[in-house]
Amino acid sequence: MPDGRPSGDFEINSLNGQFSPDETHIGLVAASLDLEQTRAIVELYNECGDWTTTNEEWLEQRKAGRLTVEGSRRAYNAIKPRLQEAGGGLPPLSHLPAILDACRKERDQHQVLFCYLVAEDAVVRYVLHEYLQQLQRKSVSNLDFSNDQLIEFLDEFRHTDGSPLDFSESTKDRWGTNFRSALRSIGVIQSKQGADGDVPNIGDVPLETAAYWSWQQLDDEWLKNPLGWRYLFQPEPFWSPQTDRLANSTRWSMHESHGRLWYEPVDDFYAEFDTTA
C-alpha cells in the first residue's frame, strides 16, 4: 500500500464456531433499528448517568404514558446492550445525539446505529460475515437475502461447544425478516418486499464513524481492512473513493512518509461533531 490506498490484504472469515451460547441472543427479533426508541434511551441515559436509573425511569415513563410496559421492556433490553458497545470505537452516548443530528438522511442515522448492532449482536455479525465472504467473490446484487438463505445460515450456526442456535422455527423466520428490514434501513435492499441487494450510498457521518471504528481496531493499518466500511457493504473498489472523502473532512488528517499515505482521526474525534457538523 505505498500510496496509502487499500490493498485488500485481509479476507473476511466465517465466524461459525467462534461464539459461546452465552454470547448469542434473539435481540434482533425484539427490536430492529428503531431510531425513535434508541434516541429516547440514549437521551434518558445521558440525563440519568447510569443504566440502573435509566431502566427505572424508562419503565416509569412508559407506565405514565399508558404504553405497553412489556413491549417497552423488550425493546429496552434489546437496544441497551448495543449502546453499551460505544466503548469499542463507536460514538460515546454523550455525543451520539449530535452525531445523529449531523446526519443528512434517516438512512445515514440507521447506518450509524447499524454499527452498534453489528458490534454487539454475535448472530448478526456471524450472518453478516457469511455474506461478506460471498461479497469477496461476487457483487452485492448477486447476494441472496431471502428468508430461505438467512434461515439456512442460522441452521448452519454452531457455538464453540458445537451446539446450534436455540431458536424456534418461528423465531428464525422473524429474525430473517428483521435482518432484511435492517438491510433495507441502511440502503442495501431497496424495495419494501424485495430481497435483491445493492451497494448502499453512505453519508459523510456514517462513513467517518465506520472509518473511525476501523481505525480503532488496526490503527494506521486500518485502510488495509476497513471493517466498518465492509460491514456497510462497501466492496474493495469503493474504498479508495471513500478515502478521498475523508481528505475533505476537518475531522481527519492526512500523513505521508517514505512514499506512504495514510489517514488519522483528529483528537477528540466525536466531540468535533458538536462544533463542525
Side-chain angles (χ1 to χ4, degrees):
M1 194 173 63
D3 62 352
R5 299 306 185 190
S7 61
D9 292 348
F10 293 78
E11 289 191 355
I12 291 289
N13 297 316
S14 174
L15 297 179
N16 211 354
Q18 301 298 308
F19 302 109
S20 69
D22 291 339
E23 295 178 278
T24 59
H25 57 73
I26 57 173
L28 187 60
V29 173
S32 189
L33 300 181
D34 191 309
L35 286 173
E36 182 178 355
Q37 292 199 86
T38 299
R39 180 150 191 158
I41 293 171
V42 170
E43 292 177 345
L44 187 58
Y45 173 81
N46 287 337
E47 177 184 331
C48 295
D50 67 85
W51 285 111
T52 300
T53 308
T54 302
N55 181 51
E56 295 170 354
E57 287 294 319
W58 176 261
L59 295 179
E60 283 300 318
Q61 290 180 14
R62 268 62 203 161
K63 289 178 182 177
R66 297 182 180 180
L67 300 174
T68 304
V69 174
E70 184 57 36
S72 296
R73 182 182 288 110
R74 284 197 302 269
Y76 178 88
N77 289 339
I79 294 171
K80 171 189 167 183
R82 303 173 194 169
L83 299 176
Q84 291 176 313
E85 290 298 318
L90 295 175
L93 300 193
S94 58
H95 294 301
L96 184 55
I99 288 167
L100 293 177
D101 286 341
C103 293
R104 296 182 179 180
K105 297 181 178 181
E106 187 174 284
R107 177 209 63 202
D108 300 355
Q109 295 178 317
H110 279 125
Q111 289 171 348
V112 171
L113 297 186
F114 186 74
C115 294
Y116 288 91
L117 171 64
V118 175
E120 184 274 331
D121 194 315
V123 181
V124 169
R125 198 155 65 254
Y126 153 74
V127 170
L128 192 54
H129 272 238
E130 295 300 306
Y131 278 117
L132 295 183
Q133 284 188 103
Q134 295 181 13
L135 189 56
Q136 291 172 157
R137 304 187 300 271
K138 54 189 178 182
S139 67
V140 178
S141 61
N142 289 325
L143 301 182
D144 179 8
F145 294 112
S146 68
N147 251 26
D148 287 344
Q149 177 62 82
L150 286 165
I151 291 173
E152 181 179 328
F153 285 148
L154 296 179
D155 287 341
E156 292 173 349
F157 180 92
R158 291 296 181 272
H159 293 104
T160 50
D161 62 4
S163 63
L165 288 169
D166 186 21
F167 288 6
S168 67
E169 292 305 312
S170 61
T171 296
K172 292 175 186 175
D173 186 72
R174 282 184 290 132
W175 194 99
T177 298
N178 283 342
F179 185 84
R180 196 161 47 249
S181 175
L183 296 188
R184 194 171 292 115
S185 296
I186 67 173
V188 175
I189 298 177
Q190 301 296 324
S191 64
K192 290 184 177 181
Q193 302 300 327
D196 297 330
D198 198 2
V199 176
N201 293 323
I202 300 182
D204 290 338
V205 175
L207 175 87
E208 294 187 44
T209 297
Y212 184 84
W213 188 23
S214 303
W215 174 80
Q216 280 281 344
Q217 298 171 62
L218 289 175
D219 199 36
D220 290 344
E221 300 297 313
W222 74 271
L223 274 173
K224 291 183 178 180
N225 184 29
L227 198 56
W229 289 351
R230 282 180 147 174
Y231 284 156
L232 290 172
F233 285 87
Q234 300 297 294
E236 186 176 346
F238 283 67
W239 300 349
S240 183
Q242 307 297 29
T243 60
D244 292 337
R245 293 171 64 185
L246 293 184
N248 295 321
S249 171
T250 59
R251 290 177 286 266
W252 290 85
S253 59
M254 185 173 62
H255 303 271
E256 186 173 6
S257 177
H258 303 294
R260 177 176 173 267
L261 188 68
W262 71 95
Y263 295 82
E264 290 182 352
V266 299
D267 294 338
D268 297 322
F269 172 74
Y270 285 121
E272 286 294 307
F273 282 89
D274 292 321
T275 59
T276 62

